[in-house]
Amino acid sequence: MNIMDFNVKKLAADAGTFLSRAVQFTEEKLGQAEKTELDAHLENLLSKAECTKIWTEKIMKQTEVLLQPNPNARIEEFVYEKLDRKAPSRVNNPELLGQYMIDAGTEFGPGTAYGNALIKCGETQKRIGTADRELIQTSALNFLTPLRNFIEGDYKTIAKERKLLQNKRLDLDAAKTRLKKAKAAETRSSQLNSARLEGDNIMVNFSYMLNFLHVKWLKIWAEEVTKSEQELRITQSEFDRQAEITRLLLEGISSTHAHHLRCLNDFVEAQMTYYAQCYQYMLDLQKQLGSFPSNYLSNNNQTSGTPLPSTLSNVVGSSAMASTSGLVITSASSVSDLKESSGSRKARVLYDYDAANSTELSLLADEVITVFSVIGMDSDWLMGERGNQKGRVPITYLELLN
């Protein structure tokens, strides 16, 4: 029974506090009550925390879209995460494409140029898919998880303390309002005419009763003022304490920024590793496709023996592959003149080339070699000579010099 009485009293007290805060908040919005303003430093910290939360959420969500463009897959991963279960492993798009290419190449025949090329492309796509999977895992662990921990952990604590600070401020302003009203009532009460009336006994008795009530009234309002002043001191102390707690939490936002900066560096490093791997895989694939022998016919009976220069070198730029800067494509007229003549020409190597077999000559970027044409050689190749070394070299890797 005592426990029930206590719960009822506590519920009534909480309801009274809530009502007092609601009245104070409403009067502030209507301009009928004064509002205690936070100091400028605390306001700046609150604004900084709110800004950090908003942009962290946007960056986190867009990073998730970048790493997993499929919205259904993101929803599935979110559900498994909330259920604290591991999401089933699925084949990503590069791996699926690679498997299709390998199956198609096997169907067409590994002995054909097209089938062999499909198998090589499929293997490369599967390696890219593996690199993509590693990028997602690394980014989720080193970048997305810290951002999510801030939103769901640190900022929730800040928001909770901030709401508590708001409640303490409302309590403080409500106490100020009550004290102001109590003092005003006490002043009006003290100004009442307390002079005793002269006359018959009835008027004397009535005057005595008024004086008695007046004294009681003054005593009540004096007690109310004292109570309001005490309540104001308590609410002021609680407000100051909560403001200090909130300030200490908000000052940790700078440390959060420093931590997120380290996480951002890890994310950039993961992306750099991923794109470097993809570039190397495609470069190796391009060399493999370019190393097919000239008599290796494709399914449509067209010669497939021309190595294509890497277009990725133009995308990566001079910082990633300085040897490709100033790329000059050998003109068809220069090659035609060289093939028609029986002489030789000097040529500068545009970028590295690894010989696919003993009939070819490996090249190093920026070296100068001697090239000449041989009767019956494929139109996309020349014979190269470096000292005592000779071998076939692809025209697209050369710049003929005058």
Side-chain angles (χ1 to χ4, degrees):
M1 187 65 180
N2 293 334
I3 296 178
M4 184 177 294
D5 291 342
F6 174 77
N7 290 337
V8 172
K9 291 179 180 179
K10 185 177 183 302
L11 181 62
D14 292 342
T17 302
F18 177 79
L19 180 61
S20 175
R21 291 170 180 170
V23 171
Q24 178 65 28
F25 182 79
T26 304
E27 290 180 350
E28 288 177 359
K29 291 299 182 182
L30 297 176
Q32 298 176 357
E34 296 181 358
K35 177 181 177 181
T36 300
E37 299 293 341
L38 303 177
D39 63 85
H41 178 61
L42 186 56
E43 287 285 3
N44 290 335
L45 290 176
L46 288 171
S47 177
K48 184 178 181 181
E50 182 67 20
C51 182
T52 301
K53 179 251 185 182
I54 292 174
W55 285 110
T56 300
E57 283 184 333
K58 290 183 178 181
I59 292 173
M60 182 179 68
K61 291 179 180 179
Q62 192 57 38
T63 303
E64 291 174 345
V65 173
L66 173 67
L67 297 177
Q68 178 52 268
N70 188 342
N72 295 328
R74 291 200 304 273
I75 294 175
E76 181 182 356
E77 291 173 356
F78 175 78
V79 171
Y80 275 101
E81 181 182 353
K82 292 302 179 183
L83 295 176
D84 197 18
R85 296 177 58 185
K86 184 178 180 181
S89 178
R90 65 170 62 87
V91 178
N92 57 31
N93 292 331
E95 290 174 334
L96 186 60
L97 174 60
Q99 189 60 50
Y100 286 166
M101 287 183 170
I102 292 175
D103 293 343
T106 303
E107 182 75 18
F108 296 147
T112 64
Y114 184 41
N116 196 352
L118 279 172
I119 292 175
K120 291 181 182 295
C121 290
E123 293 172 348
T124 300
Q125 289 295 331
K126 296 188 76 171
R127 285 196 291 269
I128 292 176
T130 301
D132 183 69
R133 191 183 302 277
E134 293 174 354
L135 171 65
I136 293 175
Q137 293 175 350
T138 303
S139 300
L141 179 63
N142 297 335
F143 187 60
L144 288 178
T145 299
L147 297 186
R148 188 175 292 108
N149 288 341
F150 168 74
I151 296 297
E152 298 179 354
D154 295 346
Y155 189 79
K156 279 190 175 181
T157 303
I158 292 174
K160 178 182 177 182
E161 297 299 330
R162 181 178 183 176
K163 183 178 180 181
L164 188 56
L165 176 63
Q166 173 74 355
N167 291 336
K168 295 299 182 183
R169 185 197 64 76
L170 290 173
D171 291 342
L172 174 61
D173 290 337
K176 289 180 179 179
T177 301
R178 281 193 293 270
L179 177 59
K180 185 177 179 180
K181 291 180 179 179
K183 287 185 176 181
E186 183 185 31
T187 302
R188 288 196 302 270
S189 177
S190 63
Q191 293 174 352
L192 292 176
N193 184 13
S194 60
R196 296 184 62 179
L197 297 175
E198 299 294 338
D200 55 17
N201 292 335
I202 296 178
M203 294 303 298
V204 171
N205 292 334
F206 181 71
S207 175
Y208 176 78
M209 292 178 61
L210 286 178
N211 288 334
F212 176 78
L213 292 175
H214 178 62
V215 171
K216 296 292 291 184
W217 184 258
L218 288 177
K219 186 177 180 180
I220 292 174
W221 281 112
E223 291 177 353
E224 183 66 22
V225 169
T226 303
K227 181 181 177 181
S228 298
E229 289 176 344
Q230 182 180 4
E231 183 181 2
L232 178 61
R233 286 193 296 269
I234 294 174
T235 55
Q236 183 70 59
S237 176
E238 292 179 350
F239 172 77
D240 293 340
R241 178 176 175 274
Q242 186 59 38
E244 181 65 16
I245 293 174
T246 307
R247 182 184 64 81
L248 292 175
L249 283 174
L250 292 173
E251 287 178 347
I253 291 294
S254 297
S255 299
T256 299
H257 284 188
H259 179 53
H260 287 181
L261 175 59
R262 292 192 295 270
C263 297
L264 180 61
N265 288 333
D266 292 340
F267 178 56
V268 171
E269 184 176 351
Q271 282 187 305
M272 182 182 66
T273 301
Y274 168 72
Y275 289 118
Q277 286 178 330
C278 293
Y279 171 74
Q280 187 60 47
Y281 292 155
M282 298 309 296
L283 187 63
D284 294 341
L285 174 63
Q286 185 264 336
K287 290 180 180 180
Q288 292 177 21
L289 295 179
S291 65
F292 287 159
S294 59
N295 58 354
Y296 201 1
L297 299 181
S298 63
N299 294 338
N300 59 0
N301 295 325
Q302 293 180 353
T303 301
S304 177
T306 305
L308 300 177
S310 174
T311 57
L312 288 176
S313 60
N314 295 330
V315 177
V316 175
S318 59
S319 61
M321 195 172 184
S323 61
T324 63
S325 61
L327 178 64
V328 179
I329 304 300
T330 303
S331 64
S333 60
S334 299
V335 175
S336 177
D337 293 342
L338 178 61
K339 287 183 176 293
E340 290 177 359
S341 66
S342 58
S344 61
R345 291 275 294 274
K346 293 291 184 181
R348 182 173 68 86
V349 178
L350 298 177
Y351 43 90
D352 296 347
Y353 175 73
D354 294 330
N357 51 54
S358 59
T359 64
E360 298 179 5
L361 180 65
S362 296
L363 303 175
L364 295 176
D366 293 329
E367 71 171 330
V368 177
I369 63 174
T370 302
V371 294
F372 54 91
S373 177
V374 176
I375 297 177
M377 179 175 288
D378 187 272
S379 60
D380 296 320
W381 296 78
L382 290 173
M383 185 63 69
E385 186 177 53
R386 184 201 305 114
N388 296 328
Q389 296 178 329
K390 290 184 180 180
R392 298 189 315 144
V393 293
I395 293 176
T396 51
Y397 282 64
L398 303 174
E399 175 193 359
L400 296 180
L401 304 177
N402 295 325

